[in-house]
Amino acid sequence: EADIYQTPRYLVIGTGKKITLECSQTMGHDKMYWYQQDPGMELHLIHYSYGVNSTEKGDLSSESTVSRIRTEHFPLTLESARPSHTSQYLCASSDPTGLTEAFFGQGTRLTVV
Amino acid sequence: QQQVKQSPQSLIVQKGGISIINCAYENTAFDYFPWYQQFPGKGPALLIAIRPDVSEKKEGRFTISFNKSAKQFSLHIMDSQPGDSATYFCAASYLGPDKLIFGTGTRLQVFP
């Protein structure tokens, strides 16, 4: 089983609040990703990182930001949550060789009211 | 423009039957084509993946068929079981399992 963890699993929060979604992996993977998935829809890459102090935006524009201060930790932050941010956020990681699969966390289901 | 197109959107199969899900891609630079299985409330998990140098890969009841000239690949689930009921996503990427581009998903229901 993949050792990649996301917290919280579910979050309901009011508009305008600042939130941070946590993602940690214990596999020592350099590459980490955040995907956004609306119910019943495909996953879209919103952020990725190839190592410490490396972060890039993905294909889908997002108002969230990420940081990568430690290899194992890749948190995602929304400074001011809005109802349009309601979605599921999935974190993933893969090793730099590209020879193994990308492992996904269980996701954080965010609802902004 | 959607780079990976998946069909059907939903599929109902009887136990023991064959489930077939199809995907088509646009970019010939893609070199990694995985299939992910996702159960409700869980993250996607890799089921099987193929690279363009082979036309077919089989793992147990799951087979990927790959047609490079047609830019299509498909997942076949033989002897489908109720436990296979899940959403299946095809994906593609340029550099192995990196920055995956996903299809829209197929919700498979296998009835006893």
Side-chain angles (χ1 to χ4, degrees):
Chain A
E1 191 165 322
D3 295 324
I4 180 163
Y5 307 99
Q6 290 186 242
T7 57
R9 288 290 315 281
Y10 304 93
L11 179 61
V12 180
I13 201 162
T15 298
K17 299 291 186 183
K18 177 180 179 178
I19 58 170
T20 296
L21 308 184
E22 302 289 348
C23 176
S24 296
Q25 51 95 4
T26 60
M27 296 173 282
H29 288 167
D30 287 327
K31 296 183 178 181
M32 295 190 74
Y33 316 85
W34 277 102
Y35 289 85
Q36 184 175 341
Q37 182 183 28
D38 290 330
M41 302 294 287
E42 68 268 44
L43 289 76
H44 290 285
L45 180 69
I46 53 174
H47 297 286
Y48 63 98
S49 167
Y50 285 167
V52 171
N53 294 325
S54 153
T55 60
E56 301 286 346
K57 290 190 176 294
D59 302 325
L60 181 69
S61 176
S62 174
E63 294 170 341
S64 59
T65 60
V66 292
S67 62
R68 190 88 182 276
I69 299 173
R70 302 198 314 266
T71 298
E72 62 271 21
H73 195 213
F74 191 39
L76 180 146
T77 299
L78 277 165
E79 291 292 333
S80 179
R82 293 208 299 270
S84 60
H85 296 140
T86 295
S87 189
Q88 174 159 256
Y89 294 85
L90 289 154
C91 181
S93 74
S94 65
D95 78 26
T97 66
L99 298 178
T100 64
E101 63 186 273
F103 294 93
F104 282 82
Q106 294 205 60
T108 294
R109 187 170 294 282
L110 172 66
T111 303
V112 184
V113 297
Chain B
Q1 183 182 5
Q2 195 171 11
Q3 295 195 59
V4 180
K5 296 181 181 179
Q6 183 171 347
S7 63
Q9 191 172 13
S10 62
L11 182 61
I12 299 173
V13 173
Q14 201 159 17
K15 179 183 176 181
I18 302 173
S19 304
I20 301 174
I21 305 170
N22 300 299
C23 279
Y25 62 97
E26 299 286 331
N27 195 325
T28 55
F30 289 147
D31 68 350
Y32 177 73
F33 303 90
W35 284 92
Y36 278 83
Q37 179 187 57
Q38 185 177 29
F39 292 104
K42 302 287 187 181
L46 180 69
L47 196 60
I48 187 171
I50 199 168
R51 305 230 180 213
D53 53 344
V54 296
S55 60
E56 186 175 281
K57 183 175 181 180
K58 184 176 180 179
E59 289 183 3
R61 296 185 293 110
F62 302 94
T63 300
I64 296 180
S65 296
F66 185 79
N67 186 328
K68 190 173 181 178
S69 60
K71 293 189 287 184
Q72 295 176 347
F73 59 110
S74 59
L75 175 69
H76 295 235
I77 305 174
M78 311 300 286
D79 187 26
S80 299
Q81 299 296 313
D84 296 331
S85 297
T87 299
Y88 293 81
F89 290 95
C90 63
S93 64
Y94 301 100
L95 298 167
D98 182 26
K99 297 192 286 181
L100 295 165
I101 298 169
F102 284 85
T104 50
T106 296
R107 187 182 175 199
L108 171 66
Q109 294 174 278
V110 181
F111 286 96

